[in-house]
Amino acid sequence: MGEVPFNFLSHLERETGRIARECCGFGVDFQPIVRVADMRFGDFQVNGILPYGKRHGADPRQLAGQLLVALEGESNFSSFAEVEVSGAGFLNITLRVAALGGWLAAYGGAEDFRRAAIAAMAVAGRRVVLDYSCPNSAKQMHVGHLRSLVIGDCLYRLLSFLGAKVIRDNHIGDWGTQFGILLRQLRLEGVRLSAVPQEETLDLLESLYRRGNAEVDRSPEALAEARRELVALQGGDPERLALWKKINELSYASFQKIYDLADVQFDLVLGESFYRNSVARVYDELLDCSIAQEDDGALAVFHGEHKRFREQPFLVRKSDGTSNYAATDLATVLYRMETLGAEEILYVTDGRQRDHFEQLFLTVKKWFAAKNYPLPTLRHLWFGTVCGDDGKAIKTRSGEPVRLQELFDSAIGRAGEILRGKNPNLPADERTVIARAVGVGALKYGDLSQNRTSDYVFSLEKMLSFDGNTAPYLQYAVARGRAVRRRADGEALRPGTKLEPATTEERVLAHRLLLFPVALAMALEDLHPHLLCSYLYDLACEFSSFYDSSRIFGDEKEVAERRLGLCEITVNFLATGLQLLGIEPLDRM
Ligand code: ARG
């Protein structure tokens, strides 16, 4: 057997295709698709012979039989797998135990695995700007900010694990209309912020904003006044700038509390206001290249080739001359290309911003082409809504969005209660630390395990359950595995340990372990963390069956070493997976 392939699935896809064409007379249009099989039938299934046969008027079973003979004739193939024809023209592939053992020995160590993953996934060295979290200042973060935070952080971990150079940029909304409304309201109600105790300021600002917003909705005069406030602020009026600065400082401090709690960091925090002096260049260049049109002071981009954006404008400057979300976003792309050297920019926001990003990307493409600027790959990684039991965006009883701080606090509090019930002997200070990891982990996992583009119904009880597809279940599996290692005196997996699975449970576990690269590749493709979650959950379930059915200690030395080895690799993979999700693997619970 030559070198063991890291990703068996893609290896089989390549090899079955190559052998079919080179040794079996299949045409170049034969594109096998390999799937993970139901384990009763083998490890993998080769699909694609059926449609190929149909296209060519040939019997698929016969074609499958020919391919089988060719595969068996390739020693490089037959040395690690057995093949059989099944159904109407599929091939089932079962890996030999030596191949499984060889794979585990080659890639079971955390470092070996990572090195191979970096080599296989082809994102190493790529300069990626990751735009996530990005709350608006003057407000506190609420449940609507959970997903961008958690998904963005996970994508950072995944991409940098695979060797990409990721720059995390928190593009805070600090230059928009909320300030016009707020400044007007502060003036109107005669509020002196310096006289308000620090810890009450954000609450006060939020209620001022709510009142102001209601008035602006109701009265055209109020709206005009709020607009004038924003014009004055953006024009650099010192008094308003000083207030604005104070409000931002307070907001950042409250964001930072959440970031610390969630263990999320940024490389850059450049709010919209950072671009206030670069928007002029954007306007000039867009006009210069005839991409934007002026209309009564406003600047708009239409995309004639698009059925909606032909008429729906992308407004990049308002008629009063103030910049808006689109203007600062355009300037931001320029900065990320020119100054940060971005080859790719990823935006993690709510799905309701799909139009904005589609229009932004269309505009940037035309603008950069006209100017001969290198165009980074632009991707909007949007997500669905967190819903309450009524299926609508989750709200408090009084109709306000739930604060993120409160959500974290209650998850941690509830985790503490559950832990006290399950393990009353845990010392209190240790329980506090574990409760935090479990509570925060449960919230993160509850979100990440959902398809990014779906809405989901929020349930703290489900997220904190120790059974099912949850963080506590996975953290518990790791803690259990680590306890086994402690019992084995912390002996790490010895090089040369024979890892060939010998029982059904061992085989099922080994099969799942070698699918870790497949799961990573799938999660990477469309940047979908839930695919990694499902993998980890399957792995934890199979580990649990293995653990319950197989005596690890007490059998002969060789059996014990093999089982300890499997346990060790499983714990490595689970811990690596949890870390990629931003969740702390635990030693005990
Ligand atoms: N501040 C925006 C919001 O709260 C999100 C910003 C996302 N990033 C960006 N470059 N537009 O919805």
Side-chain angles (χ1 to χ4, degrees):
M1 196 167 67
E3 204 189 310
V4 197
F6 178 58
N7 181 334
F8 260 112
L9 190 144
S10 61
H11 175 80
L12 287 171
E13 219 151 64
R14 247 186 343 266
E15 281 300 281
T16 49
R18 181 186 70 76
I19 293 169
R21 287 186 297 268
E22 285 176 12
C23 316
C24 235
F26 281 51
V28 283
D29 64 322
F30 174 61
Q31 293 299 345
I33 295 167
V34 175
R35 297 216 163 89
V36 176
D38 179 324
M39 270 214 61
R40 279 169 303 169
F41 307 117
D43 295 295
F44 299 100
Q45 183 177 70
V46 182
N47 294 252
I49 303 172
L50 229 70
Y52 177 79
K54 257 201 199 125
R55 279 201 302 279
H56 295 272
D59 174 13
R61 267 195 80 89
Q62 215 168 354
L63 288 174
Q66 286 163 13
L67 182 50
L68 177 136
V69 174
L71 293 173
E72 285 181 337
E74 280 272 319
S75 63
N76 231 342
F77 193 98
S78 53
S79 63
F80 68 73
E82 268 175 82
V83 196
E84 95 199 342
V85 175
S86 91
F90 306 104
L91 290 179
N92 289 342
I93 295 189
T94 306
L95 297 176
R96 296 182 193 283
V97 284
L100 289 165
W103 192 93
L104 294 170
Y107 306 114
E111 274 316 303
D112 295 326
F113 181 86
R114 175 154 188 216
R115 217 171 306 121
I118 290 174
M121 309 286 177
V123 294
R126 195 189 297 173
R127 274 185 92 76
V128 181
V129 172
L130 184 58
D131 178 305
Y132 67 105
S133 186
C134 312
N136 293 332
S137 60
K139 298 178 197 166
Q140 302 182 55
M141 283 206 258
H142 57 77
V143 56
H145 297 104
L146 176 69
R147 302 205 76 182
S148 180
L149 182 71
V150 168
I151 297 170
D153 179 54
C154 168
L155 297 182
Y156 162 72
R157 290 166 189 267
L158 178 64
L159 289 165
S160 49
F161 178 79
L162 297 172
K165 296 207 179 73
V166 187
I167 302 167
R168 297 163 288 182
D169 187 4
N170 193 0
H171 185 80
I172 296 194
D174 63 357
W175 206 231
T177 46
Q178 82 265 36
F179 280 100
I181 295 172
L182 209 49
L183 289 173
R184 172 183 174 271
Q185 204 64 21
L186 278 164
R187 179 179 304 272
L188 210 71
E189 301 194 17
V191 179
R192 281 198 6 260
L193 276 189
S194 50
V196 181
Q198 189 95 328
E199 62 284 2
E200 289 169 25
T201 326
L202 277 179
D203 281 335
L204 172 72
L205 289 172
E206 275 179 294
S207 61
L208 285 167
Y209 177 77
R210 261 197 305 280
R211 283 197 291 280
N213 203 29
E215 281 188 36
V216 163
D217 278 346
R218 216 173 27 236
S219 133
E221 289 86 67
L223 180 64
E225 279 168 30
R227 285 198 172 137
R228 280 199 291 278
E229 288 290 340
L230 189 65
V231 173
L233 173 70
Q234 291 197 359
D237 171 70
E239 196 191 316
R240 291 183 174 85
L241 271 176
L243 258 180
W244 167 84
K245 194 160 164 262
K246 167 108 183 125
I247 295 171
N248 279 320
E249 279 163 8
L250 287 166
S251 309
Y252 285 22
S254 89
F255 300 157
Q256 192 56 46
K257 272 206 212 147
I258 305 250
Y259 297 145
D260 289 343
L261 198 55
D263 187 23
V264 172
Q265 295 84 26
F266 296 94
D267 303 297
L268 297 172
V269 183
L270 301 179
E272 293 168 359
S273 64
F274 178 76
Y275 301 96
R276 61 188 142 188
N277 297 322
S278 21
V279 286
R281 175 174 163 202
V282 176
Y283 306 146
D284 288 346
E285 295 194 2
L286 290 182
L287 278 168
D288 219 37
C289 307
S290 309
I291 292 167
Q293 9 184 309
E294 222 158 1
D295 177 22
D296 192 21
L299 206 58
V301 180
F302 293 91
H303 297 286
E305 74 284 10
H306 192 284
K307 65 176 186 309
R308 244 168 346 103
F309 306 146
R310 187 185 314 162
E311 267 151 34
Q312 181 181 323
F314 188 49
L315 198 63
V316 299
R317 187 183 63 209
K318 292 187 266 177
S319 54
D320 60 13
T322 52
S323 66
N324 63 1
Y325 190 47
T328 45
D329 250 342
L330 286 162
T332 306
V333 180
L334 191 62
Y335 178 82
R336 288 172 177 169
M337 179 276 286
E338 282 185 335
T339 309
L340 303 180
E343 295 167 85
E344 183 163 355
I345 307 177
L346 306 174
Y347 298 88
V348 188
T349 85
D350 195 291
R352 281 169 296 191
Q353 295 196 32
R354 267 177 286 172
D355 274 6
H356 168 76
F357 282 103
E358 212 183 319
Q359 288 172 302
L360 176 71
F361 295 173
L362 283 171
T363 308
V364 169
K365 273 174 204 155
K366 290 175 188 170
W367 169 29
F368 279 28
K371 283 285 181 187
N372 251 320
Y373 297 151
L375 179 71
T377 305
L378 302 168
R379 292 167 80 181
H380 182 209
L381 306 171
W382 58 276
F383 51 79
T385 308
V386 183
C387 299
D389 291 329
D390 58 358
K392 299 201 191 107
I394 187 169
K395 294 258 160 67
T396 59
R397 242 173 247 153
S398 57
E400 302 296 317
V402 185
R403 297 232 170 104
L404 213 43
Q405 181 75 50
E406 279 158 31
L407 214 55
F408 275 107
D409 289 345
S410 53
I412 294 169
R414 186 73 192 105
E417 285 166 21
I418 296 174
L419 286 167
R420 188 176 313 124
K422 286 204 185 280
N423 190 354
N425 299 325
L426 211 56
D429 50 343
E430 204 180 335
R431 180 162 57 232
T432 309
V433 176
I434 296 175
R436 185 178 143 143
V438 171
V440 172
L443 265 186
K444 289 186 175 182
Y445 192 88
D447 194 295
L448 293 169
S449 58
Q450 302 290 329
N451 191 331
R452 174 160 61 71
T453 55
S454 309
D455 298 345
Y456 71 87
V457 175
F458 185 87
S459 160
L460 202 51
E461 283 309 302
K462 267 201 198 134
M463 290 175 177
L464 278 167
S465 162
F466 274 57
D467 291 310
N469 190 10
T470 65
Y473 181 71
L474 293 176
Q475 286 170 315
Y476 183 66
V478 172
R480 233 177 168 191
R482 286 183 173 171
V484 172
R485 200 219 254 194
R486 280 197 295 277
R487 253 192 83 188
D489 283 339
E491 231 171 85
L493 178 57
R494 254 197 300 267
T497 300
K498 287 220 176 331
L499 293 166
E500 272 98 77
T503 64
T504 307
E505 285 80 13
E506 291 176 15
R507 193 167 196 316
V508 169
L509 187 58
H511 162 89
R512 186 64 58 193
L513 287 169
L514 70 84
L515 292 179
F516 194 19
V518 177
L520 279 184
M522 274 167 45
L524 184 67
E525 190 169 306
D526 290 315
L527 298 172
H528 272 309
H530 74 283
L531 298 173
L532 179 56
C533 295
S534 327
Y535 170 76
L536 294 174
Y537 177 56
D538 287 341
L539 177 58
C541 290
E542 280 150 6
F543 176 60
S544 173
S545 318
F546 160 81
Y547 183 94
D548 292 339
S549 67
S550 318
R551 252 178 3 140
I552 296 184
F553 301 99
D555 267 318
E556 327 157 21
K557 188 158 171 281
E558 199 180 311
V559 177
E561 280 185 351
R562 182 179 73 236
R563 291 184 176 165
L564 267 173
L566 284 168
C567 177
E568 168 100 6
I569 297 171
T570 306
V571 172
N572 271 345
F573 285 11
L574 286 173
T576 301
L578 283 175
Q579 273 152 354
L580 291 177
L581 300 173
I583 297 168
E584 207 181 320
L586 295 169
D587 284 333
R588 63 186 102 234
M589 277 172 87

